[in-house]
Amino acid sequence: MTKLSHLDLNVSDYRKSLLFYDLILLNLGWTRTVCRTTYTNYTDGTMKICICPTEEKYISAGLHRKRTGLNHLAFYASSKKEVDRFHKDVLVKNGISCLYENGPSGDDDYYAVFFEDPDRIKLEVVYAPRYCDPNDWTNQFESDYDPYA
């Protein structure tokens, strides 16, 4: 079985982003393992997220999740209750606005809250216990494209 090893994020305001990701990731049970002037690593024990300051010459291009590149990061929660707790104790308490709704939404199959980091990278905390199960409704759509045709 292959697992995701790590994800690198370049950020425009390194200090602001580290304070934000400490708030988000540490409240989701992650650990900050290294914090240097050139990068900071977080881990949940199975993968890492590396936050790096963007070089000055690249900052002006900006980021938009609809452009080519990263759209969003989603972090698993163990229950709907954990999503609700995260929303109340982390997002609301720290004045971090939700996207799309005023809080978590969904059902027993997919329950999530969406928000943005300081560079507007969309983040999600989601309870989706069967998300990777081939029989989950999200995996039942009929394919309509063959890249080999």
Side-chain angles (χ1 to χ4, degrees), residues 45-60:
T46 61
M47 72 167 285
K48 288 184 181 179
I49 293 178
C50 182
I51 308 294
C52 304
T54 302
E55 292 179 48
E56 189 68 37
K57 64 184 177 182
Y58 296 114
I59 289 178
S60 64

Side-chain angles (χ1 to χ4, degrees), residues 3-6 30 42-48:
K3 294 181 181 180
L4 189 60
S5 168
H6 66 277
W30 289 59
Y42 298 88
T43 185
D44 69 349
T46 61
M47 72 167 285
K48 288 184 181 179

Side-chain angles (χ1 to χ4, degrees), residues 11 13-27 32 35 40 42 51 90 94 96 117-118 123:
V11 298
D13 184 328
Y14 190 50
R15 181 182 182 281
K16 184 177 183 180
S17 291
L18 292 183
L19 295 174
F20 177 85
Y21 279 99
D22 273 0
L23 177 68
I24 300 306
L25 296 176
L26 300 181
N27 274 287
R32 181 162 26 116
C35 188
T40 296
Y42 298 88
I51 308 294
V90 178
N94 291 281
I96 299 170
D117 86 348
L123 302 174

Side-chain angles (χ1 to χ4, degrees), residues 95-149:
I96 299 170
S97 299
C98 294
L99 297 172
Y100 316 125
E101 306 286 337
N102 290 328
S105 63
D107 55 30
D108 289 340
D109 291 322
Y110 201 98
Y111 187 75
V113 64
F114 299 88
F115 53 100
E116 292 176 323
D117 86 348
D119 284 309
R120 299 203 58 229
I121 294 173
K122 184 169 75 170
L123 302 174
E124 172 185 3
V125 174
V126 59
Y127 172 66
R130 294 170 289 282
Y131 192 62
C132 293
D133 182 332
N135 296 314
D136 184 67
W137 71 270
T138 60
N139 301 315
Q140 294 299 306
F141 294 103
E142 186 176 334
S143 295
D144 66 358
Y145 180 72
D146 182 355
Y148 299 98

